[in-house]
Amino acid sequence: MSTAPPPYPNPAATALAAITTVSQRMAVRSGRRRRPAGPVERTLQVEVRAVRRPCPDVAVLDLVPITSAPLPGWGPGAHVDVELPSGLLRQYSLCGDPADRSAYRIAVRAVPGGAGSAEVHALTPGARLRLRGPRNAFPLATAPSYLFLAGGIGITPIAPMVRAAHAAGLPWRLVHTGRDLASMPLSGELAALAPDRVVRRPDDGGVPRPEQLLSGVDADAAVYCCGPPPMIEAVRRALPAAQRFHSERFSPPPIRDGRPFTVRIVGGPEVTVPADRSALDAVREIRPEVPYSCRQGFCGTCHVRLVAGTTTIDPTRPDPAGPGRTALCVGRAEGDGVTVDLGR
């Protein structure tokens, strides 16, 4: 049974408060790389208050606390770890109003064969869940103007950013792509803010080229992009080196210039990791019970103790698991190999 969610309590004022909070907490960023979000050891008990389906394959859920205490605050770009009834752990961006601490809102697209999304789509009002977070690996930085690019369900972290920029009176533009208009949630609502600033571009007219997505972008604008990896990489390459670019993907990052290495498991065999695969993939071939979730290093599910050796993501980025640990999904040995303890 679906129930229509309540409207935003005061979009302009609350979104402006959100962007002001973000601005106070972080310096202006001009680099193209960002540190992964730190772990948030906080568990929240919530209940599904309402479910709606703006697209046939997208479920929007409003989650409310079981207790009377307000939910923790968050800023545009934040996500929560959702523990589903089966025990599966999945990360979903918060796409509601950051100032509304009475509810969190997530939007989830059904993925063919996806166990997590299938379980979310089966939830009904009254179902109870546990959350961890929220945390923010994709924060909105202050900038003179913004270009927001979203591919499909990548609109979820972008939507609160659009509302915040609009409420702050800053110039912005949104381009939302998808296979057709019927598969593009949330951007129709955003178009009500400023119809001339929102471009909804379905792929049935041809997949847009990066120069089309970036048409008219100001040199000092911050570009925020969330969507499929090919879209993100194409936009990244098309932008000038000095342009401020921030991105988030909902899939594992590509492995660039990888080298093979060996993972020695305490009490177990040695595993060869090919140049184009992750340690997680290689280890799970012999230890399929090894848990994982985000595959991007920040959720902590596949972080294990590093007994010997050192790991990085690439020569300029440390392993997000921190000293003495490694994220199997993204960490790669600096030398020929590492030793890990899968007992955590």
Side-chain angles (χ1 to χ4, degrees), residues 10-98:
N10 186 339
T14 56
L16 179 58
I19 197 171
T20 300
T21 300
V22 172
S23 302
Q24 291 172 342
R25 290 181 179 179
M26 62 183 296
V28 174
R29 299 183 180 185
S30 58
R32 296 185 172 218
R33 290 195 169 113
R34 55 184 167 78
R35 294 181 61 83
V40 178
E41 299 302 329
R42 174 173 53 206
T43 300
L44 309 172
Q45 303 280 345
V46 298
E47 180 176 293
V48 178
R49 179 177 65 189
V51 181
R52 65 186 175 102
R53 287 178 168 80
C55 303
D57 61 348
V58 174
V60 177
L61 281 66
D62 283 352
L63 309 174
V64 297
I66 292 176
T67 67
S68 59
L71 291 166
W74 59 281
H79 69 272
V80 288
D81 300 340
V82 179
E83 184 178 325
L84 296 169
S86 69
L88 285 175
L89 189 67
R90 293 293 183 264
Q91 287 72 41
Y92 297 116
S93 297
L94 294 173
C95 60
D97 177 5

Side-chain angles (χ1 to χ4, degrees), residues 136-199:
N136 203 333
F138 191 39
L140 181 64
T142 53
S145 62
Y146 298 91
L147 173 62
F148 299 111
L149 305 176
I153 199 63
I155 190 66
T156 51
I158 295 293
M161 296 182 181
V162 170
R163 292 183 180 277
H166 184 75
L170 295 170
W172 60 271
R173 184 168 177 261
L174 166 67
V175 181
H176 189 191
T177 67
R179 61 179 181 270
D180 52 46
L181 288 176
S183 68
M184 297 161 62
L186 306 185
S187 55
E189 302 169 18
L190 297 173
L193 298 176
D196 59 330
R197 297 190 191 182
V198 176
V199 177

Side-chain angles (χ1 to χ4, degrees), residues 7-335:
Y8 290 94
N10 186 339
T14 56
L16 179 58
I19 197 171
T20 300
T21 300
V22 172
S23 302
Q24 291 172 342
R25 290 181 179 179
M26 62 183 296
V28 174
R29 299 183 180 185
S30 58
R32 296 185 172 218
R33 290 195 169 113
R34 55 184 167 78
R35 294 181 61 83
V40 178
E41 299 302 329
R42 174 173 53 206
T43 300
L44 309 172
Q45 303 280 345
V46 298
E47 180 176 293
V48 178
R49 179 177 65 189
V51 181
R52 65 186 175 102
R53 287 178 168 80
C55 303
D57 61 348
V58 174
V60 177
L61 281 66
D62 283 352
L63 309 174
V64 297
I66 292 176
T67 67
S68 59
L71 291 166
W74 59 281
H79 69 272
V80 288
D81 300 340
V82 179
E83 184 178 325
L84 296 169
S86 69
L88 285 175
L89 189 67
R90 293 293 183 264
Q91 287 72 41
Y92 297 116
S93 297
L94 294 173
C95 60
D97 177 5
D100 181 8
R101 296 179 61 187
S102 68
Y104 287 162
R105 182 172 294 170
I106 62 174
V108 180
R109 167 153 279 146
V111 178
S117 64
E119 197 167 347
V120 170
H121 276 248
L123 294 172
T124 57
R128 294 195 169 188
L129 302 168
R130 290 199 301 178
L131 309 180
R132 275 191 255 161
R135 65 181 119 194
N136 203 333
F138 191 39
L140 181 64
T142 53
S145 62
Y146 298 91
L147 173 62
F148 299 111
L149 305 176
I153 199 63
I155 190 66
T156 51
I158 295 293
M161 296 182 181
V162 170
R163 292 183 180 277
H166 184 75
L170 295 170
W172 60 271
R173 184 168 177 261
L174 166 67
V175 181
H176 189 191
T177 67
R179 61 179 181 270
D180 52 46
L181 288 176
S183 68
M184 297 161 62
L186 306 185
S187 55
E189 302 169 18
L190 297 173
L193 298 176
D196 59 330
R197 297 190 191 182
V198 176
V199 177
R200 305 180 78 207
R201 188 173 184 128
D203 293 346
D204 50 18
V207 177
R209 300 186 301 276
E211 57 269 23
Q212 293 174 314
L213 298 176
L214 297 168
S215 176
V217 63
D218 295 334
D220 59 354
V223 178
Y224 279 78
C225 183
C226 184
M231 173 186 177
I232 294 172
E233 293 305 309
V235 170
R236 188 193 306 273
R237 294 191 191 100
L239 281 170
Q243 189 91 38
R244 298 171 60 186
F245 180 67
H246 309 260
S247 65
E248 183 171 66
R249 54 171 54 88
F250 292 158
S251 59
I255 297 173
R256 299 189 185 92
D257 303 321
R259 295 185 301 103
F261 63 97
T262 300
V263 173
R264 304 172 186 88
I265 300 172
V266 172
E270 294 187 355
V271 181
T272 299
V273 181
D276 60 349
R277 300 188 68 198
S278 70
L280 176 65
D281 290 336
V283 168
R284 278 180 57 84
E285 286 189 354
I286 62 167
R287 295 285 187 87
E289 74 280 5
V290 172
Y292 70 94
S293 184
C294 76
R295 287 184 172 267
Q296 299 181 58
F298 58 72
C299 76
T301 306
C302 72
H303 293 189
V304 297
R305 188 164 68 91
L306 190 61
V307 178
T310 56
T311 54
T312 61
I313 297 180
D314 62 37
T316 65
R317 291 185 291 175
D319 190 310
R325 297 183 68 77
T326 184
L328 291 175
C329 60
V330 294
R332 303 192 72 81
E334 287 195 301

